[in-house]
Amino acid sequence: MAAECTWAPQDLTANNAGCPPIPDDDYIKRYQSNPELWPVEFFVVAYRRIKIPSTQKKETQILVRRSANGTSKFGLGTGVPATRWIPAGASPPRGYEAAKPEVTFDACNYPEFPEGEASWSYAKIDIRKDAFSETADVDDPDLQRYASRIRDELRTILYGKTKDGDALSAFERNTYDVVQKILGCSNSIAAIQGSLRMSGLFAKIDEATEHRFVDFEDAPPPSTLAESARIYTMFPQMPCPMPLPSTNAEELRDEIESRPARMLKSGRDPHKDRYGRVHTHISTNNVSNTIHGVYLPFDVTKTLGLAGDTPPAFDLFGTTEIEREWVSLIEMGVLEADGASIGTADTKPTFISGFIVRQLVKEGIIEV
């Protein structure tokens, strides 16, 4: 029988019983002392309740796409960073620009940094506020307006939570302050729009009629999305030692494939770091995978409730449709086989956001 593997939102600066104390120069503590260092990413979590024709039983399903990097079988495929790291000196990808003022961080600050190597640096980049309006192939004024309303509602919700500061821990307050500052910038609309776009929910079925998989009049009100939104800090299982910037793609894939065997041989705990902090997911060498994630649960039971109602996925600025699929929370390991009990299996190899979705179920945000 597999060992239980659970996660709950955690204070990543707090010491854990039976583990060494977290040092003052820990990278999370550095992030906390300078909130500009935190990556922030937005995710749409599309789900539905559907009756299975063969059994006549209802189950809750999540809309996912196959993971391309080999760290897990499935991912939400909707994550869009508002701000993240890239190697210093690299050109920002399409739709992004260097943070102003410049923000940098040395690789040697991460615990997985290879001993004896010369350090390199990362630089912050931010999504551009005109990321989608600059080219006609991805410009969608209606989706931008919907994203803008969601952003306004999120700001209101977060203001209410931070106003009652006594109810928050120092880590929670810092997290909300970081996200609130991001939402205070107009480019956050582009990050939310990008996540909605990648979800495929608003993809047009028929260009002639402008009909979408989810039409705006049938979509949840922005206030509903904001009220159900949750902010969770993702803490990844990183490669150790950290691959050098010169490592090629094949070597990076080999590292991911061989990591479980190497961890077993070395005695490294695959579920926690040496300070007892629980990993939420398996990561590549991308240091931006330690993030404050803003999750927007999106119930499409009434609009995409039939077996064949499966919108496509898109890359952030891509126009080629990518296959998506509905997968049950049971198959993901989020729930036990009865479809009602909270699962205790390790979701990391199966679903990148498994622990996150499990927490959304625990909090009653996603109905089962």
Side-chain angles (χ1 to χ4, degrees):
M1 183 177 179
E4 290 190 3
C5 189
T6 60
W7 173 86
Q10 57 191 329
D11 180 344
L12 293 172
T13 62
N15 294 329
N16 291 289
C19 299
I22 301 171
D24 290 338
D25 63 354
D26 176 70
Y27 82 102
I28 296 291
K29 288 187 175 181
R30 290 179 183 269
Y31 281 15
Q32 290 294 91
S33 64
N34 181 6
E36 296 289 340
L37 299 175
W38 273 108
V40 176
E41 192 162 342
F42 291 83
F43 299 84
V44 169
V45 185
Y47 69 96
R48 68 181 184 181
R49 291 273 293 163
I50 189 171
K51 183 179 288 186
I52 306 302
S54 60
T55 64
Q56 292 301 300
K57 291 183 178 180
K58 285 189 175 181
E59 69 176 23
T60 302
Q61 299 176 335
I62 295 286
L63 188 60
V64 295
R65 61 182 284 186
R66 298 273 171 169
S67 176
N69 61 22
T71 58
S72 189
K73 186 177 180 181
F74 298 107
L76 290 173
T78 61
V80 177
T83 178
R84 70 177 180 92
W85 297 110
I86 61 171
S91 298
R94 177 182 174 182
Y96 284 83
E97 61 187 0
K100 299 175 184 177
E102 181 184 56
V103 180
T104 61
F105 199 64
D106 287 338
C108 62
N109 289 311
Y110 295 104
E112 299 85 7
F113 184 78
E115 187 176 351
E117 294 288 345
S119 187
W120 60 91
S121 296
Y122 294 97
K124 261 304 192 70
I125 58 172
D126 301 332
I127 196 167
R128 291 170 46 182
K129 64 180 181 180
D130 63 350
F132 295 98
S133 58
E134 60 180 351
T135 53
D137 59 342
V138 295
D139 188 23
D140 191 336
D142 291 332
L143 191 60
Q144 183 182 41
R145 281 189 287 271
Y146 187 62
S148 179
R149 292 170 58 203
I150 293 170
R151 174 247 196 170
D152 292 344
E153 295 290 347
L154 284 170
R155 294 185 72 186
T156 300
I157 293 292
L158 273 185
Y159 175 76
K161 289 183 177 181
T162 54
K163 189 176 181 182
D164 184 15
D166 294 341
L168 300 174
S169 69
F171 188 83
E172 288 171 327
R173 170 173 279 283
N174 183 285
T175 299
Y176 288 158
D177 286 346
V178 169
V179 175
Q180 185 73 292
K181 185 173 182 180
I182 292 294
L183 289 168
C185 300
S186 58
N187 65 340
S188 63
I189 298 171
I192 296 170
Q193 179 181 349
S195 186
L196 292 166
R197 183 179 188 279
M198 290 179 71
S199 75
L201 297 177
F202 294 95
K204 294 177 181 178
I205 298 174
D206 185 346
E207 290 289 343
T209 63
E210 298 288 302
H211 182 56
R212 301 175 187 253
F213 280 90
V214 177
D215 291 316
F216 290 106
E217 58 266 29
D218 299 322
S223 58
T224 299
L225 288 177
E227 287 167 5
S228 64
R230 292 294 183 271
I231 301 169
Y232 300 126
T233 303
M234 298 285 277
F235 183 67
Q237 175 210 96
M238 295 291 289
C240 188
M242 179 186 291
L244 301 178
S246 58
T247 306
N248 62 45
E250 183 177 353
E251 290 171 325
L252 292 175
R253 285 194 297 271
D254 289 343
E255 188 285 321
I256 292 170
E257 291 175 1
S258 64
R259 193 186 307 174
R262 288 185 288 108
M263 288 191 296
L264 183 63
K265 184 177 180 179
S266 68
R268 179 187 176 189
D269 190 332
H271 307 303
K272 300 178 182 179
D273 75 351
R274 67 189 303 262
Y275 307 114
R277 297 178 290 194
V278 179
H279 297 307
T280 49
H281 62 299
I282 299 168
S283 177
T284 63
N285 62 325
N286 181 2
V287 295
S288 291
N289 282 335
T290 300
I291 59 168
H292 290 324
V294 183
Y295 293 87
L296 300 168
F298 198 112
D299 186 354
V300 294
T301 300
K302 294 181 179 179
T303 50
L304 298 176
L306 299 178
D309 290 339
T310 308
F314 293 95
D315 289 334
L316 184 55
F317 296 103
T319 55
T320 301
E321 295 184 357
I322 301 168
E323 185 179 0
R324 270 199 180 282
E325 52 192 297
W326 290 102
V327 181
S328 76
L329 295 186
I330 297 172
E331 184 178 342
M332 292 292 196
V334 172
L335 298 177
E336 298 290 1
D338 62 9
S341 305
I342 299 294
T344 58
D346 182 12
T347 61
K348 292 193 294 294
T350 305
F351 184 25
I352 295 172
S353 299
F355 284 147
I356 298 301
V357 172
R358 187 181 283 172
Q359 185 65 27
L360 290 170
V361 172
K362 286 180 184 178
E363 295 185 32
I365 305 301
I366 292 180
E367 181 185 356
V368 297

